[in-house]
Amino acid sequence: MENRKKILSELFDKYRNEFKELNEYLYNNPELGLQEYKACTAHTNILKKYGFEIEKGFANLETAYKASYKKGNGPRIAILAEYDALPEIGHGCGHNAYGVTSIASGILVKELMQKLDLQGEILVIGTPAEETNGAKVDMAKLGIFNDIDVAMSVHPCGETHFRSGKSHAMEALQFTFKGKTAHAAASPHEGINALDGVLNLFNSINALRQQMLPSARIHGIISKGGEAANIIPDLAIANFYVRAETLEYLKELVEKVKNCAKGAALASGTKLEIINYETSFANLVTNKKLMKLYEKNLRTLGVTDIRDREGFGSTDMGDVSHCCPTIHPHFPLTTRHLIGHTIEFASATIQEEAYKGMKEACLAMTLSCIDIFEKPEILKEIKEEFYQTFKESKGEKL
């Protein structure tokens, strides 16, 4: 083990300048979801350079890719990469560092497969638009992960390393209320106030919260509420995220929220339209045995502070976890506390101290892949847990 750690550490350091250049290039050229043309090209160029077969436009998505290296028959392991940015603040979620860490691990796994003559396939899959449309959701629906034995990715954060835990299943709902305009002072009785429908909806949802499970979340905004104070609005729109720990409870909660909207429309005399304005995500189900393997390898690298993560949002890695054994731990860019989706977070991705956490996460993923390639009993236990958790055929959601 010590020899492998030394080899991997030296390999990472050998390629470090290239990883750093790629990370800074992505930082300086942020692209929104499904527009990541520069990022996709930069990712695939370095992977092609180091011997991966490249398929661009993967899963019918222009900015997605699949990079693969295969030697004989053996486990198929996918390391997933993200690279989309946020409006205005660029890489405030750190997907530049996320993607580079995935690429680095893929390259190191390939190098060790060749050195140790290991059988199997390592894939780096580029997954665009995590912040919005969630390409992994579409990939899961296409069955891309159904014949993957294990999937991994690591996300940047602050402070220290965090275990892969859970995320909310999420549905994005847009409620459009339609009414009738009128002069708000001279003839309000001749109008139908669409904004009243939205306000009724917010009040009904607030009343619903008492009967919700404490772990569930409902949060929304009024994206359109009228044009002027002296005009009864004939159109008002509210966007909501509804989140729950399981798909089963999410379905139940979404139905209740929709009923709130129907009641709000009835009370205000408005007409109602409901659509999904973004892709919905499944909840993340962490494979505990796979996480223990990753944590064991982190600790062999000298990492001692590994914590459970408090609070969680939603991620399209959740959909992957319903198709194959999956983990999604976090690694530190800095020892300071960081708040995601901020300029400060983006800046932390290119500081010198960020490469310590990136290297640790990269090596831990790499060592975990090698363990799985070498020891069939490890993969057997991981997959047994997966099947026991879902108790359904592979690729189907609970």
Side-chain angles (χ1 to χ4, degrees), residues 320-331:
V320 180
S321 74
H322 287 249
C323 300
C324 66
T326 300
I327 58 169
H328 188 50
H330 286 64
F331 68 90

Side-chain angles (χ1 to χ4, degrees), residues 98-315:
Y98 182 143
V100 171
T101 306
S102 297
I103 287 171
S105 184
I107 291 171
L108 266 58
V109 170
K110 174 186 171 288
E111 293 267 2
L112 230 58
M113 287 177 71
Q114 291 177 324
K115 286 180 183 294
L116 301 174
D117 193 28
L118 298 177
Q119 305 291 300
E121 184 176 9
I122 183 68
L123 302 101
V124 180
I125 300 178
T127 61
E130 189 275 337
E131 297 291 352
T132 51
N133 294 315
K136 299 182 197 70
V137 177
D138 292 332
M139 291 179 181
K141 288 177 180 176
L142 290 171
I144 284 166
F145 303 110
N146 290 358
D147 60 353
I148 296 294
D149 290 299
V150 165
M152 289 185 269
S153 70
V154 289
H155 198 291
C157 64
E159 297 184 48
T160 189
H161 289 270
F162 289 89
R163 298 178 182 91
S164 180
K166 54 189 176 182
S167 71
H168 277 120
M170 182 274 289
E171 189 153 347
L173 296 173
Q174 183 176 86
F175 301 94
T176 299
F177 293 84
K178 295 181 179 180
K180 179 183 176 184
T181 58
H183 194 292
S187 53
H189 55 283
E190 295 187 27
I192 299 174
N193 196 322
L195 183 58
D196 283 345
V198 167
L199 296 178
N200 288 345
L201 172 60
F202 271 84
N203 289 332
S204 294
I205 287 174
N206 285 338
L208 173 64
R209 295 184 195 281
Q210 186 180 20
Q211 281 71 48
M212 283 168 36
L213 289 176
S215 59
R217 300 286 186 271
I218 305 175
H219 44 104
I221 61 166
I222 300 173
S223 56
K224 186 174 181 63
E227 302 301 329
N230 62 351
I231 302 173
I232 299 291
D234 66 340
L235 180 66
I237 302 172
N239 292 345
F240 276 86
Y241 287 123
V242 184
R243 305 181 195 255
E245 285 194 353
T246 66
L247 284 169
E248 183 181 26
Y249 186 60
L250 178 66
K251 183 178 179 181
E252 177 185 332
L253 193 57
V254 163
E255 192 60 32
K256 290 180 179 180
V257 171
K258 287 181 177 179
N259 285 338
C260 287
K262 292 172 185 176
L266 181 64
S268 59
T270 53
K271 293 181 180 179
L272 172 67
E273 293 178 1
I274 305 173
I275 64 167
N276 289 95
Y277 69 97
E278 286 180 4
T279 302
S280 300
F281 293 167
N283 55 303
L284 175 67
V285 181
T286 288
N287 187 280
K288 294 177 182 177
K289 285 191 167 58
L290 181 56
M291 183 58 225
K292 285 181 180 178
L293 178 66
Y294 176 86
E295 182 172 341
K296 179 207 77 171
N297 284 314
L298 258 187
R299 292 189 183 280
T300 65
L301 298 169
V303 176
T304 56
D305 188 5
I306 306 169
R307 307 175 195 171
D308 290 323
R309 191 169 175 83
E310 295 181 4
F312 47 94
S314 303
T315 171

Side-chain angles (χ1 to χ4, degrees), residues 56-117:
K56 296 179 79 170
F58 185 58
N60 304 316
L61 296 165
E62 286 188 7
T63 56
Y65 68 84
K66 181 179 78 172
S68 60
Y69 171 77
K70 184 177 181 180
K71 187 175 183 181
N73 295 315
R76 300 186 76 228
I77 300 176
I79 298 174
L80 308 186
E82 294 177 6
Y83 34 91
D84 61 322
L86 294 160
E88 305 298 330
I89 58 175
H91 278 291
C93 203
H95 291 177
N96 53 325
Y98 182 143
V100 171
T101 306
S102 297
I103 287 171
S105 184
I107 291 171
L108 266 58
V109 170
K110 174 186 171 288
E111 293 267 2
L112 230 58
M113 287 177 71
Q114 291 177 324
K115 286 180 183 294
L116 301 174
D117 193 28

